[in-house]
């Protein structure tokens, strides 16, 4: 799950702690490309969130199941 907390954590690890992008990727489980993209983003930028989930085919029938 992508949160503002994770974005802040990645930036702290890079700028304050001096960790490399690869090391941040290993410690957080994020891809290196994601880490690179987040570090290039402007300071006030927020993380992109995933789409809201849509009900599946069984959605209308869940009450009866």
């Amino acid at each position: 799950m992508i949160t503002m907390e994770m974005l802040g954590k990645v930036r702290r690890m890079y700028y304050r702690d001096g960790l490399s992008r690869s090391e941040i990727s290993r410690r957080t489980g994020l891809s290196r490309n994601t880490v690179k993209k987040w570090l290039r983003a402007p300071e006030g930028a927020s993380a992109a969130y995933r789409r809201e989930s849509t009900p599946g085919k069984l959605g209308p029938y869940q009450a009866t199941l």
Side-chain angles (χ1 to χ4, degrees):
M1 182 175 185
I2 303 172
T3 63
M4 290 299 294
E5 296 166 7
M6 182 63 85
L7 179 61
K9 182 178 179 180
V10 166
R11 288 187 177 189
R12 268 193 312 278
M13 292 170 107
Y14 186 75
Y15 292 114
R16 188 183 71 190
D17 301 338
L19 297 176
S20 67
R21 292 182 191 133
S22 297
E23 183 62 25
I24 294 170
S25 175
R26 273 188 232 113
R27 290 186 183 191
T28 60
L30 298 169
S31 71
R32 287 181 316 208
N33 289 336
T34 301
V35 171
K36 183 170 70 171
K37 181 174 71 170
W38 284 7
L39 292 173
R40 286 184 178 176
E43 185 64 31
S46 62
Y49 293 97
R50 294 183 181 177
R51 283 185 239 162
E52 293 181 22
S53 62
T54 56
K57 292 182 180 182
L58 295 177
Y61 306 105
Q62 282 184 339
T64 58
L65 294 176

